[in-house]
Amino acid sequence: MTPDGGLSSTGSLLAVAVGCAAASLWLLLPRGESGLRERAARRFGMLLGAVALALFVATGRRLGGVGEEAVFLIVALVAVIGGAATVVTRSPVYSAIWFALALAGVAGVLLVLGAQFLGVATIVVYAGAILVMFLFVLMLAQPTGMASYDRVSNEPLLSAVAGAVLLGLLTLFIGRLSAGPGECCAVPSKAAALAGSGQPQAPVAPEPPADSAGVDPLAANHVARLGGELFGRHLLAVEAAGVLLLVALIGSIAIVSRTPPDERADAAAWRANA
Amino acid sequence: MTPAPLVVNGLVVGAMLFALGLVGILARRNLIVMFLSAELMLQGVSVSLVSWSRHHGDWGGHVLVIFVLTVAACEAAIALVFVLQAFARAGRLDAAAWQSLRESVLPRVVDRELPASDAAVMEFPRLTPAGVEPEHDPDAALEREHV
């Protein structure tokens, strides 16, 4: 397969996939319809979404082994399908539960990419804490059934097209990145940058990517080295993050426990009378 | 510097999650679903950062994702408090309930002729009563042993 022919066919496949994704999102987003029409639109949208996903899978890069490829495919599909369902589901409670599924998929993708600590932290922090908080607020704020504003969208067609254009541009750029050593988007290596700061030298050959052989360079002693990096080089940032957490805690309590000004004036008048 | 296939696939998954979150935050009107979409965009960015970290053999992406998690937790706490306050004032979680904050040149959002509900009527089986209903003692309902 020549690079040019492969590129153009991949590009057209990607264009079709992005178009299918846009149409699918438009059909699936709530548009204030009901009954048979909505059900038909939903079925057709799911079909188009499946076509788009299959095209994306077909244009994806082949990984080394069949097992690795299957695992990545499954977790990536779980993440993307969960994300799409989060966006298009009418009921916000179901939306939050689909988001939990998407989080599980994202954690799987992170694990496959070699980020063991982050995969587990995503599950613990997001699915364990943040999502439960979302559900709690949903139960507090929406005790009755589906509201009218959950069955309509702001400009579903324009939104779907905007998302598809963004996705198309990003995949186009990513495909070009991997197509070959183009001069336009070659990332300058550290060695070249260091050489440029000192005395002028002969151009340094670009260093090979760290992951050239498909082996994760960060795999050995992963969590220990991540901790060393976090509490060594980024210690100040960790302190700042701790302060941010404290400020958010105090701020949220302060905001939620503040009584409205008119009630406070009433209370003050009542106390003055009594 | 051609990225490895796994890195490219991870970047594509990150891009898809980010685009889905963008569609959600543009289209949906429920405040909480909008926040969920924003979190989805953060997840997409996290996947991309970890992919680049693997590509460069550098810890920067991992450390950034840890800070993204921290800031997301803070953001969720503050944002949900604001959503609760907005709900207490407006009585609904609709973003269009706050449309008086829009630019004066923009048109109003008006909802016409929404279907009352698209939920199917639930049909539950009716069990035939078994046995004989005993005589009710009207005083027993008023009797209080505790309190």
Side-chain angles (χ1 to χ4, degrees), chain A residues 35-127:
Chain A
L36 203 62
R37 237 186 116 178
E38 189 197 18
R39 235 169 294 150
R42 211 184 285 185
R43 289 223 179 106
F44 194 53
M46 280 184 198
L47 189 70
L48 274 180
V51 169
L53 281 180
L55 286 177
F56 273 116
V57 169
T59 55
R61 299 293 180 284
R62 297 278 85 84
L63 304 180
V66 178
E68 193 189 9
E69 201 166 305
V71 169
F72 184 85
L73 197 61
I74 289 172
V75 290
L77 280 181
V78 166
V80 171
I81 291 175
T86 305
V87 167
V88 301
T89 308
R90 269 73 170 164
S91 160
V93 177
Y94 284 165
S95 198
I97 291 170
W98 278 110
F99 183 64
L101 188 72
L103 283 177
V106 166
V109 171
L110 292 181
L111 284 178
V112 173
L113 282 170
Q116 305 151 14
F117 177 75
L118 291 177
V120 176
T122 300
I123 292 284
V124 171
V125 175
Y126 264 100

Side-chain angles (χ1 to χ4, degrees), chain B residues 3-142:
Chain B
L6 185 59
V7 171
V8 175
N9 285 354
L11 286 175
V12 171
V13 170
M16 289 167 93
L17 289 177
F18 191 89
L20 282 172
L22 178 78
V23 171
I25 212 166
L26 285 176
R28 294 305 298 267
R29 279 174 54 179
N30 192 312
L31 286 174
I32 289 188
V33 178
M34 287 170 77
F35 275 117
L36 282 178
S37 304
E39 303 283 337
L40 202 61
M41 293 169 89
L42 285 181
Q43 293 297 312
V45 171
S46 298
V47 171
S48 298
L49 280 174
V50 169
S51 301
W52 282 121
S53 200
R54 182 178 175 124
H55 174 60
H56 288 291
D58 188 63
W59 291 102
H62 289 244
V63 173
L64 265 176
V65 173
I66 291 177
F67 291 127
V68 165
L69 275 179
T70 313
V71 174
C74 297
E75 172 232 326
I78 300 278
L80 287 179
V81 168
F82 277 132
V83 165
L84 269 184
Q85 299 262 316
F87 176 73
R89 283 179 191 239
R92 48 200 181 128
L93 288 172
D94 191 359
W98 301 92
Q99 60 176 320
S100 57
L101 299 175
R102 73 191 185 280
E103 291 271 336
S104 56
V105 291
L106 292 179
R108 271 188 309 159
V109 174
V110 184
D111 296 328
R112 290 193 191 83
E113 289 173 11
L114 286 176
S117 171
D118 57 0
V121 181
M122 302 284 275
E123 295 265 352
F124 294 111
R126 290 186 69 85
L127 299 179
T128 49
V132 181
E133 195 171 0
E135 289 282 327
H136 289 291
D137 182 7
D139 293 339
L142 302 174

